[in-house]
Amino acid sequence: MKFLPIIYISLLVVSCSGNKGENLPPATGVSGDMYLVMDSLQWKGPLGNLLDSIFNAEMRGLPRTENIYNMHWIDSRKLNFLLKQRRNLIFATTLDQRSYGAGIIKKNFTEEFIQKIKSDPNLFVSTSKNVFAKGQDVMYLYGNTERELIKNVQKNSQQLIDHFDKNERERLSASLLKSNQQKGVRDWIRKNMQAELQVPFGYKLVMNEKDFLWVRQINPRDDKDIFIARKKYFSPEQFTRDSLIRFRDEVCKKYLFEDPDVPDSYLITETTIPFVPIECRQVNFNNHFAVETRGLWRANNFSMGGPFVSYALVDEATGYLYYLEGFTFSPKRSQREIIRELETILYTFKTSDQLSPSVVR
């Protein structure tokens, strides 16, 4: 049996230690807010336009236009104590910029570090946690010239987004799982699927079969759903877009009813809307090769629909392909943060080799 190799999408990042957050105020702001500290000249030029277009881009797979992050520019000359406490901060400058505002940002760099920037054109990004506030993520973007930095940012734009997405998931995970978990659901997955998923309190078990599990949280304003399906892995072709859609539709038709009182109502993948296509990309999912899929779903009778995000990966030890999905029905609401919550829960998934020996039978 041949398995796909794990592909690690790496980014040249110099990680600074920051501090442990002791004696610091808590970071401010909400999930999805991004604050960019730049000199006014560079903000109004090509570099500022590029960074704004990357983090302010439309999130894929949503029925309405919503940005990945809400970008806010801070003039480096006006950066004060309160603004420094934002949860997501980016400082951007280049050595060829001689303005007073650029000089303020460069004060963050030691002379030794400036020499490293000058000697290595591939060095362009550093990250640090808890610099000015507890729970904060800070990124520094830099280069010898603006042209050089623009080239590096363009080449690694998705990895820059992935970095902040990962930290947003970590924050959200701590919040979602702080109070309690559905331990009965977790234990069932461990016993019957040789895997693990941490399900926050508030999600209810809808259905569990040998190779399928569905949990759901219904609120007055939204319906949030997560399911796990698995089947034997036998070929890399199972990771293609069409194969994943077929498997998803098979699972949905069999298990995911639109109305339990109407047996022939079920969910399908929406592939007929050209401006919201089904998009797949390879990702590193908890050190496993995985394919992420985003798009829309709907009921076969057109009564409801919404966005979904999914991850397909293989557990080599058991020989199963796992398909994990989160989807929501939340009409007339912003859905970006709902999808982020579902992503966060999905990323708690562990395969059999990641479980402690006492869990795996």
Side-chain angles (χ1 to χ4, degrees):
M1 182 181 294
K2 294 184 178 180
F3 293 95
L4 285 173
I6 298 175
I7 297 177
Y8 294 95
I9 304 175
S10 61
L11 174 66
L12 180 59
V13 176
V14 177
S15 294
C16 308
S17 60
N19 61 62
K20 297 180 180 179
E22 297 173 359
N23 303 318
L24 288 176
T28 60
V30 297
S31 178
D33 275 355
M34 183 69 65
Y35 289 83
L36 173 63
V37 183
M38 285 184 74
D39 164 73
S40 59
L41 291 176
Q42 290 193 305
W43 165 248
K44 296 174 183 177
L47 180 58
N49 290 335
L50 174 62
L51 292 173
D52 186 52
S53 68
I54 290 172
F55 289 98
N56 227 359
E58 182 178 347
M59 179 178 274
R60 298 173 297 115
L62 298 184
R64 291 177 296 278
T65 300
E66 296 187 57
N67 299 332
I68 301 173
Y69 286 93
N70 300 322
M71 177 65 85
H72 306 276
W73 168 59
I74 302 174
D75 188 329
S76 54
R77 297 169 298 177
K78 299 180 179 179
L79 182 63
N80 57 35
F81 176 77
L82 293 177
L83 292 174
K84 283 183 177 180
Q85 296 175 22
R86 300 305 186 189
R87 62 194 284 160
N88 294 319
L89 267 182
I90 300 175
F91 291 86
T93 192
T94 54
L95 300 184
D96 63 345
Q97 185 66 22
R98 305 298 182 184
S99 67
Y100 177 73
I104 294 174
I105 299 176
K106 291 175 192 176
K107 289 180 180 179
N108 290 292
F109 306 149
T110 64
E111 185 58 37
E112 179 184 4
F113 191 69
I114 289 176
Q115 293 306 314
K116 287 183 179 179
I117 298 173
K118 290 180 177 179
S119 63
D120 187 353
N122 294 315
L123 187 65
F124 77 101
V125 56
S126 305
T127 63
S128 187
K129 292 182 180 294
N130 306 324
V131 178
F132 309 107
K134 189 185 301 182
Q136 182 183 58
D137 188 24
V138 178
M139 176 178 285
Y140 300 93
L141 298 172
Y142 42 77
N144 283 294
T145 66
E146 184 169 300
R147 182 177 180 181
E148 183 181 281
L149 179 55
I150 287 174
K151 180 180 178 181
N152 280 324
V153 169
Q154 286 175 329
K155 184 179 179 180
N156 297 279
S157 59
Q158 185 59 57
Q159 288 92 322
L160 297 178
I161 294 170
D162 289 345
H163 170 81
F164 282 103
D165 284 349
K166 180 177 181 292
N167 284 290
E168 287 286 30
R169 286 196 301 269
E170 289 175 354
R171 294 187 189 108
L172 190 53
S173 179
S175 174
L176 286 171
L177 303 172
K178 183 178 181 180
S179 57
N180 211 335
Q181 298 179 41
Q182 293 290 13
K183 294 182 180 180
V185 173
R186 182 196 62 191
D187 293 344
W188 187 91
I189 296 172
R190 285 177 173 178
K191 180 180 179 180
N192 295 277
M193 289 188 168
Q194 297 78 51
E196 181 178 285
L197 185 74
Q198 298 183 51
V199 181
F201 183 77
Y203 282 79
K204 306 295 183 183
L205 177 65
V206 182
M207 184 185 300
N208 54 333
E209 301 286 345
K210 179 178 180 292
D211 295 317
F212 177 81
L213 176 131
W214 177 15
V215 294
R216 187 179 198 180
Q217 184 184 89
I218 301 179
N219 301 306
R221 299 178 63 190
D222 56 56
D223 180 350
K224 292 177 282 192
D225 300 75
I226 287 176
F227 71 86
I228 304 173
R230 70 173 187 173
K231 63 179 179 179
K232 280 295 183 178
Y233 175 77
F234 56 84
S235 168
E237 292 299 315
Q238 291 174 269
F239 280 99
T240 64
R241 175 184 178 275
D242 290 345
S243 179
L244 290 173
I245 290 175
R246 282 196 301 271
F247 182 45
R248 181 186 189 278
D249 285 345
E250 290 170 5
V251 170
C252 289
K253 187 172 184 179
K254 184 175 182 179
Y255 296 114
L256 294 168
F257 50 79
E258 183 271 329
D259 184 342
D261 296 325
V262 182
D264 59 352
S265 68
Y266 53 88
L267 308 187
I268 64 173
T269 309
E270 177 58 88
T271 59
T272 63
I273 300 179
F275 58 88
V276 190
I278 303 299
E279 296 188 42
C280 298
R281 69 174 182 128
Q282 296 177 0
V283 297
N284 179 350
F285 183 92
N286 297 337
N287 295 326
H288 282 278
F289 168 88
V291 171
E292 175 191 88
T293 304
R294 293 175 185 269
L296 301 179
W297 63 272
R298 66 172 173 85
N300 64 317
N301 58 10
F302 293 91
S303 62
M304 60 192 305
F308 75 88
V309 59
S310 70
Y311 299 93
L313 64 148
V314 169
D315 184 339
E316 296 189 15
T318 62
Y320 277 100
L321 181 145
Y322 286 86
Y323 179 89
L324 324 169
E325 179 174 308
F327 67 92
T328 182
F329 177 62
S330 47
K332 299 180 181 180
R333 281 201 64 193
S334 171
Q335 296 169 325
R336 181 187 70 184
E337 295 308 313
I338 296 177
I339 289 295
R340 267 211 180 98
E341 176 180 324
L342 297 173
E343 283 178 42
T344 298
I345 298 171
L346 295 178
Y347 263 91
T348 67
F349 183 82
K350 293 181 180 179
T351 51
S352 61
D353 61 309
Q354 296 171 318
L355 303 179
S356 63
S358 62
V359 172
V360 183
R361 298 292 193 272

